């Protein structure tokens, strides 16, 4: 069989199985088994495919047709222009989460400008926390953008942290990211118990925010294959935000920034949590579909 025939057969099978983006999925799976890039694929349509490769490709096509996400089959997903390893232990990073990066970097630049420092910061002296790090995508992308910042990344899943650590090593930022297995921010050194002042400059989080009540509305790729602990925030979905916001208030220094990703219906539950005098400059950013996707706020000097 040649490359063109293999690809056509994969596309047909995925189309018949009503897989979304079936052409792209077949291409990615073929590139994966061939160990080639897309330019090679279209420059060598007549190249023959060995029996072993054809069988591996067919096995992946069958798994994709049965609902496994392409990213778990190839073990890869791009986020913020970086390649991340993904396994079924971690959520597949989503394009919407790049809005968390944009808002966090904009807010930091504004804070630096207000303090009369250059907006293009290396993050020297910054302490950042990523809560529910999963694959590590936010922590690692921030470490790349702010090459002198120190980052603490938490997750309650030890399996996810193994993947996140590997990603940090692959991206060359592992020595600046401290991975902690804990509930939300509980494993960070608590300023309340240690008698220290809160020191964190930026807290980002994309917490689990799908409601158990919404399970049936999720595509099979998500419902059956992504980790439940990465998806569900509770019966309604927004249950984790209250603890996240109150723990963030205790850990951020005055002027520190909180940036949270929102579920499609989380805003009405989350916005009031930031009405307290501990928060100022609350802003909401919509995603490309017009859904309120990110909420950000600044810690005031008020006591809790
Ligand atoms: C929606 S995923 C986000 C993963 C990654 N930050 C991203 O944006 O792709 C949420 C992550 O939070 C973790 N998680 C869930 N509940 C948690 C908790 N109570 N404390 C810490 N991490 C939690 C999950 O294991 C999962 O890795």
């Amino acid at each position: 069989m040649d490359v063109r025939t293999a690809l056509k057969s994969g596309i047909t099978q995925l189309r018949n199985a009503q897989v979304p983006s079936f052409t792209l999925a077949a291409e990615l799976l073929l590139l994966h088994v061939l160990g080639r890039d897309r330019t090679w694929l279209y420059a060598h349509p007549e190249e023959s495919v060995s029996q072993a490769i054809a069988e591996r490709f067919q096995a992946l096509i069958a798994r994709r047709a049965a609902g496994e996400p392409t990213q778990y089959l190839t073990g890869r997903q791009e986020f913020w222009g970086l390649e991340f390893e993904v396994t079924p232990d971690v959520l597949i990073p989503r394009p919407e989460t790049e809005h968390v990066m944009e808002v966090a970097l904009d807010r930091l630049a504004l804070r630096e400008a207000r303090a009369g420092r250059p907006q293009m910061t290396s993050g020297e002296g910054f302490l950042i926390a990523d809560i529910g790090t999963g694959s590590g995508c936010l922590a690692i992308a921030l470490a790349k953008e702010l090459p002198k910042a120190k980052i603490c990344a938490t997750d309650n899943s030890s399996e996810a942290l193994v993947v996140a650590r590997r990603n940090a090593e692959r991206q060359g930022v592992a020595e600046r990211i401290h991975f902690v297995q804990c509930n939300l921010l509980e494993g960070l050194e608590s300023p309340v118990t240690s008698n220290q002042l809160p020191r964190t400059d930026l807290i980002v989080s994309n917490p689990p925010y799908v409601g158990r009540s919404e399970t049936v509305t999720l595509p099979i790729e998500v419902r059956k294959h992504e980790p439940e602990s990465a998806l569900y925030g509770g019966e309604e979905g927004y249950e984790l935000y209250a603890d996240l916001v109150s723990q963030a208030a205790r850990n951020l220094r005055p002027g520190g920034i909180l940036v949270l990703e929102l579920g499609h219906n989380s805003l009405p539950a989350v916005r009031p949590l930031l009405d307290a005098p501990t928060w100022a400059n609350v802003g909401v950013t919509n995603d490309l579909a017009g859904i309120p996707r990110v909420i950000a706020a600044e810690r005031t000097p008020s006591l809790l």
Side-chain angles (χ1 to χ4, degrees):
M1 189 190 305
D2 63 18
V3 164
R4 182 189 285 121
T5 317
L7 182 59
K8 270 191 168 173
S9 150
I11 291 173
T12 306
Q13 291 176 69
L14 295 187
R15 187 199 299 117
N16 292 344
Q18 297 183 332
V19 166
S21 309
F22 50 83
T23 303
L24 179 63
E27 273 179 19
L28 289 171
L29 294 175
L30 186 56
L31 294 174
H32 176 64
V33 292
L34 289 168
R36 301 285 190 174
D37 62 19
R38 184 171 274 129
T39 321
W40 183 93
L41 187 72
Y42 287 100
H44 299 85
E46 323 284 331
E47 191 95 4
S48 77
V49 173
S50 73
Q51 178 74 14
I53 297 268
E55 282 170 11
R56 272 186 67 205
F57 178 55
Q58 183 48 46
L60 292 182
I61 288 289
R63 287 169 65 185
R64 182 66 195 94
E68 276 185 69
T70 307
Q71 294 91 332
Y72 288 153
L73 297 172
T74 61
R76 288 185 240 177
Q77 172 64 22
E78 193 181 295
F79 178 82
W80 203 251
L82 304 167
E83 190 177 274
F84 286 86
E85 175 193 344
V86 289
T87 74
D89 288 324
V90 300
L91 189 92
I92 299 164
R94 304 293 204 271
E96 303 88 273
T97 305
E98 297 197 352
H99 293 304
V100 173
M101 288 292 298
E102 290 160 4
V103 172
L105 294 172
D106 281 357
R107 290 256 178 169
L108 282 177
L110 196 64
R111 197 182 70 153
E112 294 304 287
R114 281 201 319 235
R117 295 186 290 261
Q119 287 189 34
M120 286 290 289
T121 173
S122 64
E124 180 137 30
F126 285 10
L127 198 58
I128 294 174
D130 171 25
I131 310 306
T133 197
S135 61
C137 58
L138 283 170
I140 292 164
L142 285 167
K144 291 292 242 186
E145 290 290 333
L146 303 164
K148 298 216 165 134
K150 293 225 160 60
I151 299 177
C152 186
T154 78
D155 207 291
N156 62 358
S157 155
S158 57
E159 293 86 359
L161 288 172
V162 170
V163 178
R165 271 196 198 97
R166 273 205 299 267
N167 277 319
E169 273 156 24
R170 192 163 300 133
Q171 296 293 344
V173 293
E175 76 290 349
R176 284 188 294 119
I177 306 183
H178 179 47
F179 290 99
V180 186
Q181 186 184 3
C182 65
N183 178 44
L184 301 177
L185 289 86
E186 285 169 8
L188 303 194
E189 197 172 314
S190 164
V192 176
T193 53
S194 66
N195 255 351
Q196 287 181 350
L197 292 173
R199 299 190 42 225
T200 313
D201 294 280
L202 168 70
I203 294 176
V204 295
S205 183
N206 172 19
Y209 54 59
V210 179
R212 289 264 171 201
S213 52
E214 296 175 276
T215 306
V216 288
T217 66
L218 299 176
I220 184 175
E221 285 84 355
V222 178
R223 179 164 32 96
K224 284 217 168 148
H225 297 281
E226 297 207 76
E228 289 203 357
S229 64
L231 296 176
Y232 300 112
E235 192 52 30
E236 301 302 328
Y238 47 72
E239 286 86 340
L240 280 178
Y241 287 97
D243 282 350
L244 194 47
V245 168
S246 63
Q247 292 182 22
R250 288 200 290 278
N251 281 274
L252 281 172
R253 66 165 79 218
I257 298 157
L258 174 65
V259 184
L260 302 176
E261 182 164 328
L262 297 170
H264 69 97
N265 58 359
S266 316
L267 185 62
V270 180
R271 180 66 187 81
L273 302 171
L274 297 165
D275 279 339
T278 32
W279 299 105
N281 294 334
V282 179
V284 174
T285 305
N286 287 357
D287 64 17
L288 299 177
I291 296 167
R293 186 56 68 189
V294 176
I295 193 160
E298 196 176 305
R299 179 72 167 90
T300 65
S302 296
L303 294 174
L304 283 173

